[in-house]
Amino acid sequence: MFAATVLTLYPEMFPGPLGLSLAGRGLREERWSLETVQIRDFATDRHRSVDDTPAGGGAGMVLRADVLAAACDHVGYDRPMLAMTPRGAPLTQARVRELAAGPGVSILCGRFEGFDERLFEGRSIEPVSIGDYVLSGGEMGALVTLDACVRLIPGVMGAASSGDEESFESGILEYPQYTRPVEWEGRTIPEVLRSGDHARIAAWRKHMAETDTRLRRPDLWERHSGVRVGSPSGAQRKDWDEQT
Ligand code: SAH
């Protein structure tokens, strides 16, 4: 079973949204487990302090390496130990897939100005970021990471989550989706999707996935296609009709 442990100063934040919907049902059905560890329980002084002022000066407080390491050592390193930090490697669907296929994950959540850097030198902990913005704490990042993993566990979401056409699975965005009503505010579902012609539908979806990726995520497109968007050899926008 996929076992998750979250090391946090705010264990009350869990399972939070992961207790609802499909993730919550999976938790109740014991398809995955979630446990929290209160970092403060590993403080050693009589004030139970977990942080101190930044060396070299500056605003805020820094989480102490000794307290964090004691909490991490208590959990152990049988499973990957992640630390949430904007200084980490951006989380990807590929990493999420690896984690979901393994025994589980431990996630260390920062607060204040983050972690004493020596923690990463002294322990094997993988710094992970959920995006290029700053949160007030790592708990939201842990929830995001776990949500992404848990939906891939067999039996939690069913076949839908294993689709290799989903965004990022093939390195690009998914094609746009539509459902009834066929007409809404004068806009109709693209005719091709109503044609029943599976080959044409597949070709349209591929075209749209590629076009939208190129326009919205030139970074992904460049990696996927090897073509720099905006370079002379880069594909120009083509309408679907021109292609067929
Ligand atoms: N001073 C730090 C930010 C601290 S934010 C810096 O500039 O790098 C407080 C905590 O929120 C962090 O320790 C981390 O656990 C969490 N956090 C903030 N932004 C995050 C992000 N993009 N991804 C993952 N965790 C994040």
Side-chain angles (χ1 to χ4, degrees):
M1 182 178 43
F2 183 89
T5 301
V6 179
L7 301 88
T8 170
L9 289 166
Y10 298 97
E12 308 84 344
M13 289 179 73
F14 298 86
L18 297 179
L20 304 171
S21 191
L22 296 169
R25 193 171 73 190
L27 196 55
R28 286 188 296 280
E29 288 174 353
E30 298 185 5
R31 296 186 194 276
W32 69 289
S33 69
L34 176 63
E35 139 191 286
T36 55
V37 168
Q38 169 57 269
I39 294 168
R40 199 172 293 283
D41 290 346
F42 297 86
T44 49
D45 64 342
R46 63 192 176 89
H47 301 294
R48 299 228 297 158
S49 60
V50 295
D51 56 350
D52 209 329
T53 54
M61 299 293 273
V62 176
L63 290 167
R64 290 167 52 148
D66 57 343
V67 177
L68 294 171
C72 293
D73 292 349
H74 168 81
V75 171
Y77 305 91
D78 298 348
R79 296 166 276 151
M81 173 82 68
L82 274 44
M84 287 294 131
T85 165
R87 284 165 44 82
L91 186 67
T92 61
Q93 188 65 14
R95 186 70 187 114
V96 164
R97 254 195 195 285
E98 283 171 5
L99 290 171
V105 66
S106 305
I107 306 182
L108 177 61
C109 301
R111 280 272 156 183
F112 324 123
E113 293 310 314
F115 312 106
D116 183 313
E117 188 65 18
R118 291 171 295 178
L119 178 71
F120 298 100
E121 295 160 13
R123 296 291 185 277
S124 149
I125 298 175
E126 179 184 334
V128 170
S129 166
I130 62 157
D132 292 342
Y133 39 78
V134 181
L135 306 169
S136 57
E139 289 77 12
M140 301 278 194
L143 291 168
V144 165
T145 304
L146 291 176
D147 184 84
C149 289
V150 161
R151 65 189 288 284
L152 297 178
I153 296 170
V156 170
M157 250 195 69
S161 64
S162 56
D164 56 13
E165 290 188 345
E166 266 196 326
S167 291
F168 312 116
E169 289 295 357
S170 55
I172 64 173
L173 305 179
E174 192 185 60
Y175 46 80
Q177 302 269 19
Y178 299 84
T179 189
R180 280 180 286 271
V182 169
E183 191 185 326
W184 173 73
E185 294 190 352
R187 294 158 204 279
T188 51
I189 294 176
E191 181 280 325
V192 55
L193 297 180
R194 292 176 281 134
S195 69
D197 181 339
H198 297 297
R200 260 186 88 221
I201 291 171
W204 181 86
R205 285 179 165 172
K206 180 167 184 285
H207 172 81
M208 293 304 285
E210 291 176 352
T211 301
D212 286 349
T213 304
R214 189 157 46 77
L215 295 175
R216 296 175 181 193
R217 292 293 305 274
D219 57 321
L220 283 184
W221 183 248
E222 191 175 328
R223 224 176 307 154
H224 174 78
S225 67
V227 176
R228 259 197 83 102
V229 176
S231 74
S233 60
Q236 296 303 302
R237 180 157 210 200
K238 277 195 223 93
D239 281 341
W240 164 247
D241 291 342
E242 283 177 45
Q243 263 225 149
T244 44

